[in-house]
Amino acid sequence: MADYKKMYAVLFNAITDALDALQEQNPVLAAALLVQAQQHTETLYIESSDDE
């Protein structure tokens, strides 16, 4: 079963870091952090569906 708590934590932390990067006027870093988190959570989801 997918670990939605872990996926939520990954995304929440990435959003927090991205918002910090935007406050520092670094939109490139913000976008990279969000893409990385998206890819990480997609991997977590796919790996969890393989277990079923």
Side-chain angles (χ1 to χ4, degrees):
M1 177 175 220
D3 187 352
Y4 291 105
K5 287 182 181 182
K6 183 174 184 176
M7 289 186 274
Y8 175 84
V10 168
L11 290 174
F12 182 85
N13 290 332
I15 291 167
T16 301
D17 293 344
L19 289 171
D20 288 343
L22 289 173
Q23 285 184 331
E24 295 171 7
Q25 298 182 357
N26 193 343
V28 174
L29 176 59
L33 290 166
L34 293 173
V35 168
Q36 181 181 22
Q38 181 185 30
Q39 292 171 342
H40 184 187
T41 54
E42 287 174 345
T43 300
L44 290 171
Y45 181 78
I46 291 168
E47 288 175 354
S48 71
S49 65
D50 289 343
D51 295 339
E52 295 176 7

